[in-house]
């Protein structure tokens, strides 16, 4: 990996993209220290350490620590991610609308515009919950003007992150949205290490507990890397054909079907969706019905178990959803037949598509189950044992996935310049 980055730095074009990405991330971190107007930061710290800390700390970890300081990026980028999920589901439910929104550059532009509009609406709901419920005691002034300014600031912060992410995707390296989430997660590492050190110094934690956490984290890291890199190679044979005086085909190759074809997107999407129930509970504040707290709040054992079950289900659903989008077995089988390719022992055409669909479905299920277990197990462990991992399962999956995808993109840039990176060895 480091050799790949070293080679990338030697290429002017790639180096400029890396520098641009770094500068945009600096802008992101600067925004994380600019507080929202009319907000008492000391009162925010008191709220974060209060009874709601479990929910708020979970949201804070994905916003790069901006929630703990109630900064302009406190909402993070998740309202936009949730909006993109909603729009994609709408295009599936209404195929005619989906075709018009995905057809050509004009369709993509409309799709992006509608997604941003829905993102603004969701950001407003979350901003309302934060200002009027979660951090109500931290609002310095309770007049309407102050609250409107805070609403607009939080919404503008989210949409600025969306613009920043699109800018990184266009002119930088990697997927901008994923890069921002990744950077937000790792920015919390220093504070997490400091907290773990203080726990050890006061005797609240032991060295063997840290050793177990380190081993568990390394095991999760290894598993995530394996499922992201793992693939099944389906053999393909091309028939010989004569064109003029030359003979073409006859060679053997393979179709690489990845275990985790959708990458980190199922985890990111499920995390975004799972913030909605917490927002609904927070809208009621202390007046929330008991049954609603037990059902949707992560502060109760029943609510946490339901949260983990739903998150596990959503990860599997989104894994299949993205796998179907990225690997259309019907079209693949048609293209394979058109160019004279076939899988040994499988008839070309529809049987080939069904065979690829079966393999893809089994691999997707395996990868999705592993991702879901890794994402949910640390949450349950923390709740029942009190052991807090430096990286939760969800965070670790996102971090590893984004790093691997970004390195692959850099390698694809270098491939054209005859460099060889560590992933190709």
């Amino acid at each position: 990996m480091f050799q790949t980055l070293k080679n990338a730095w030697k290429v002017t074009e790639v180096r400029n993209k890396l520098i641009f990405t770094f500068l945009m991330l600096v802008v992101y971190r600067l925004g994380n220290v600019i507080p929202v107007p009319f907000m008492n930061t000391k009162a925010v710290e008191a709220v974060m350490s209060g009874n709601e800390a479990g929910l708020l700390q979970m949201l804070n970890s994905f916003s790069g620590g901006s929630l703990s300081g109630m900064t302009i990026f406190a909402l993070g980028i998740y309202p936009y991610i949730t909006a993109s999920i909603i729009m994609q589901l709408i295009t599936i439910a209404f195929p005619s609308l989906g075709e018009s929104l995905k057809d050509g550059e004009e369709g993509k532009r409309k799709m992006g515009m509608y997604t941003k509009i829905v993102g603004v609406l969701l950001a407003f709901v979350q901003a309302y919950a934060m200002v009027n419920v979660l951090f109500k005691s931290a609002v310095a002034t309770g007049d309407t003007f102050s609250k409107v300014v805070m609403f607009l600031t939080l919404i503008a912060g989210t949409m600025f992150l969306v613009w920043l992410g699109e800018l990184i995707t266009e002119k930088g390296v990697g997927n901008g949205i994923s890069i921002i989430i990744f950077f937000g997660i790792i920015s919390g590492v220093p504070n997490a290490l400091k907290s773990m050190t203080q726990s050890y110094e006061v005797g609240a934690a032991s060295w063997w507990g840290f050793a177990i956490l380190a081993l568990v984290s390394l095991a999760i890291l290894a598993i995530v890397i394996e499922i992201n890199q793992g693939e099944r190679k389906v053999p393909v044979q091309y028939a010989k054909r004569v064109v003029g005086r030359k003979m073409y085909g006859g060679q053997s190759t393979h179709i690489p079907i990845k275990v985790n074809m959708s990458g980190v997107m199922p985890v990111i999407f499920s995390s975004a969706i799972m913030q909605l129930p917490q927002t609904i509970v927070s809208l009621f504040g202390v007046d929330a019905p008991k049954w609603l707290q037990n059902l949707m709040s992560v502060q109760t054992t029943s609510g946490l178990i339901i949260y983990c079950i739903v998150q596990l289900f959503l990860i599997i659903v989104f894994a299949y959803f993205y796998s179907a989008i990225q690997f259309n077995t019907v079209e693949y089988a048609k293209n394979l037949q058109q160019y004279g390719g076939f899988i040994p022992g499988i008839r070309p055409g529809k049987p080939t598509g069904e065979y690829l669909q079966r393999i893809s479905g089994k691999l997707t299920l395996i990868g999705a189950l592993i991702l879901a277990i890794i994402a949910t197990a640390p949450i349950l462990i923390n709740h029942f044992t009190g052991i807090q991992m430096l990286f939760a399962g969800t965070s670790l999956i996102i971090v590893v996935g984004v790093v691997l995808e970004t390195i692959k993109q850099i390698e694809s840039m270098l491939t054209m310049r005859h460099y060889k990176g560590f992933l190709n060895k």
Side-chain angles (χ1 to χ4, degrees):
M1 180 177 68
F2 293 110
Q3 184 62 40
T4 301
L5 294 175
K6 181 180 177 181
N7 291 337
W9 193 257
K10 296 177 183 179
V11 181
T12 304
E13 180 185 352
V14 182
R15 181 171 66 246
N16 291 339
K17 287 179 175 290
L18 290 171
I19 293 174
F20 180 84
T21 303
F22 174 76
L23 292 176
M24 293 301 99
L25 291 176
V26 170
V27 173
Y28 167 59
R29 290 307 301 167
L30 289 175
N32 272 341
V33 297
I34 301 176
V36 174
F38 309 110
M39 188 67 68
N40 187 333
T41 54
K42 291 186 178 180
V44 170
E45 293 176 0
V47 174
M48 290 295 294
S49 59
N51 295 330
E52 297 286 338
L55 164 62
L56 297 180
Q57 291 296 345
M58 181 176 62
L59 299 177
N60 185 53
S61 64
F62 289 105
S63 64
S66 58
L67 187 61
S68 60
M70 200 56 183
T71 69
I72 60 175
F73 293 156
L75 291 182
I77 206 166
Y78 279 95
Y80 176 77
I81 295 176
T82 307
S84 66
I85 299 171
I86 293 173
M87 289 305 301
Q88 290 190 35
L89 293 177
I90 289 176
T91 57
I92 293 175
F94 303 96
S96 57
L97 177 62
E99 289 297 326
S100 63
L101 291 178
K102 294 179 181 179
D103 187 19
E105 291 299 325
E106 182 64 20
K108 291 180 181 179
R109 187 189 66 81
K110 289 182 179 179
M111 182 73 169
M113 181 183 67
Y114 294 150
T115 303
K116 288 182 176 67
I117 292 174
V118 177
V120 169
L121 296 176
L122 292 175
F124 176 81
V125 173
Q126 292 193 19
Y128 181 88
M130 281 188 180
V131 173
N132 286 332
V133 182
L134 292 177
F135 293 103
K136 183 178 180 180
S137 60
V139 178
T141 59
D143 59 281
T144 304
F145 173 77
S146 301
K147 291 185 177 180
V148 169
V149 171
M150 285 187 279
F151 291 159
L152 294 177
T153 301
L154 290 170
I155 295 170
T158 293
M159 300 317 295
F160 180 82
L161 287 180
V162 173
W163 174 77
L164 204 66
E166 292 178 346
L167 210 57
I168 292 174
T169 302
E170 180 183 354
K171 299 183 179 180
V173 175
N175 182 294
I177 303 295
S178 299
I179 290 288
I180 289 175
I181 297 174
F182 159 79
F183 201 71
I185 292 173
I186 64 170
S187 64
V189 173
N191 289 333
L193 290 174
K194 180 181 178 181
S195 177
M196 292 174 66
T197 303
Q198 291 175 346
S199 299
Y200 178 76
E201 290 176 350
V202 299
S206 58
W207 66 268
W208 58 266
F210 290 145
I212 293 175
L213 287 180
L215 292 175
V216 172
S217 298
L218 288 175
I220 293 176
L221 180 65
I223 294 171
V224 173
I225 292 176
E226 284 298 317
I227 63 172
N228 274 281
Q229 298 294 97
E231 62 182 25
R232 176 174 174 178
K233 298 179 180 180
V234 180
V236 174
Q237 182 73 36
Y238 283 90
K240 294 181 180 181
R241 55 195 176 96
V242 178
V243 179
R245 295 184 177 182
K246 293 185 177 180
M247 180 176 291
Y248 295 91
Q251 72 270 25
S252 299
T253 182
H254 65 271
I255 303 172
I257 303 179
K258 296 183 69 65
V259 176
N260 184 28
M261 196 174 298
S262 51
V264 299
M265 296 312 297
V267 179
I268 293 177
F269 275 19
S270 65
S271 299
I273 290 292
M274 294 309 296
Q275 286 189 15
L276 291 179
Q278 311 305 318
T279 303
I280 293 172
V281 174
S282 66
L283 287 173
F284 288 92
V286 294
D287 299 326
K290 190 68 176 178
W291 66 268
L292 187 64
Q293 294 183 23
N294 292 333
L295 184 65
M296 305 180 74
S297 175
V298 295
Q299 304 305 310
T300 63
T301 301
S302 58
L304 184 67
I305 293 175
I306 293 173
Y307 174 93
C308 290
I309 293 174
V310 175
Q311 186 184 44
L312 189 148
F313 172 76
L314 287 176
I315 290 176
I316 295 175
V317 169
F318 283 124
Y320 274 99
F321 176 70
Y322 265 86
S323 176
I325 292 176
Q326 294 183 1
F327 187 56
N328 189 326
T329 55
V330 175
E331 291 297 323
Y332 207 102
K334 288 181 179 179
N335 293 334
L336 202 62
Q337 185 179 22
Q338 181 181 353
Y339 290 99
F342 62 94
I343 299 173
I346 306 296
R347 294 180 60 185
K350 186 178 179 181
T352 297
E354 293 174 348
Y355 178 74
L356 292 175
Q357 181 60 48
R358 287 196 301 271
I359 295 177
S360 175
K362 291 177 182 178
L363 292 178
T364 300
L365 179 61
I366 294 172
L369 283 174
I370 295 174
L371 284 180
I373 292 172
I374 292 176
T376 55
I379 301 175
L380 294 173
I381 292 173
N382 177 42
H383 180 77
F384 290 108
T385 66
I387 299 176
Q388 180 66 49
M389 293 183 62
L390 176 61
F391 274 129
T394 302
S395 302
L396 195 57
I397 292 170
I398 294 174
V399 168
V400 175
V402 172
V403 169
L404 291 177
E405 289 176 5
T406 305
I407 290 297
K408 284 182 179 179
Q409 182 175 343
I410 295 175
E411 285 200 326
S412 66
M413 298 177 185
L414 298 179
T415 300
M416 296 183 294
R417 295 167 179 82
H418 308 292
Y419 279 113
K420 186 176 182 181
F422 82 105
L423 291 177
N424 293 329
K425 293 183 179 179

